[in-house]
Amino acid sequence: MDAQLHCRHKSMSAIIGKNGVTHHKREGDLCTPLGTFSLRQVFYRADRVIKPQSALPVIPLSLQDGWCDDPSSSSYNQHIQLPSSFRHEILWREDAVYDLIVVIGYNDSPAEPGKGSAIFMHLQRPNKTPTEGCVALTEADLRFVLASGATEITIHPPR
């Protein structure tokens, strides 16, 4: 799904969830949630990319970094250290998609089990395939957003 991200008078091509956007996000629905959300922190692969400029906390990733997406866990929709017996995403990936990750503050204050987890802004795949619910940008555009001092994102329905 192709979408637009607007930041400081610049429009950027963004990729969103395979099933579009929704006000009723559920775990695994392949939708991107609608609303205005704080941007929490940035993770990056220091072995692959330079540290981004950002007003947000910027943290280098390690092999042990993960994100819990298991609704039965008390760590649901939280950064975790691996290994974990709960279902999770591995943030240290072979592909480049998570070389730069911005945590979107969706369903995290507190997390409601099953309402969706691991909603990030991250890098687009080279073939620009849809995400599982995240917002994907080119590295240049994601760095522009971070350097602009952005601290929130509004995801709205297509016009």
Side-chain angles (χ1 to χ4, degrees):
M1 298 290 297
D2 196 18
Q4 291 289 310
L5 185 115
H6 305 275
C7 180
R8 297 207 189 262
H9 308 297
K10 180 178 178 179
S11 292
M12 298 161 256
S13 177
I15 306 297
I16 59 170
K18 180 178 180 180
N19 291 331
V21 293
T22 184
H23 282 291
H24 306 288
K25 174 85 183 124
R26 300 302 303 161
E27 188 69 43
D29 65 3
L30 305 179
C31 291
T32 300
L34 290 164
T36 298
F37 310 105
S38 294
L39 301 177
R40 303 289 191 210
Q41 59 194 4
V42 180
F43 292 102
Y44 74 105
R45 284 278 303 258
D47 63 318
R48 292 185 177 172
V49 299
I50 62 170
K51 182 178 179 178
Q53 292 183 324
S54 179
L56 305 170
V58 179
I59 304 157
L61 284 169
S62 75
L63 286 164
Q64 291 75 38
D65 286 307
W67 200 271
C68 182
D69 59 8
D70 190 332
S72 68
S73 171
S74 62
S75 296
Y76 178 64
N77 199 26
Q78 293 179 43
H79 176 243
I80 58 170
Q81 293 297 299
L82 303 177
S84 172
S85 60
F86 291 99
R87 192 179 72 219
H88 60 273
E89 284 197 44
I90 297 170
L91 299 184
W92 187 275
R93 292 172 54 137
E94 291 301 314
D95 66 14
V97 173
Y98 283 1
D99 284 3
L100 191 54
I101 308 166
V102 182
V103 178
I104 296 175
Y106 169 76
N107 189 35
D108 67 347
S109 188
E112 182 180 319
K115 194 175 174 184
S117 64
I119 304 299
F120 306 133
M121 275 198 299
H122 61 66
L123 301 180
Q124 294 176 357
R125 291 179 180 87
N127 61 2
K128 298 186 188 271
T129 54
T131 70
E132 294 182 20
C134 295
V135 175
L137 301 170
T138 65
E139 183 175 349
D141 286 345
L142 187 49
R143 286 182 179 280
F144 176 85
V145 170
L146 291 171
S148 78
T151 58
E152 67 178 25
I153 185 173
T154 299
I155 302 167
H156 54 81
R159 299 176 195 244

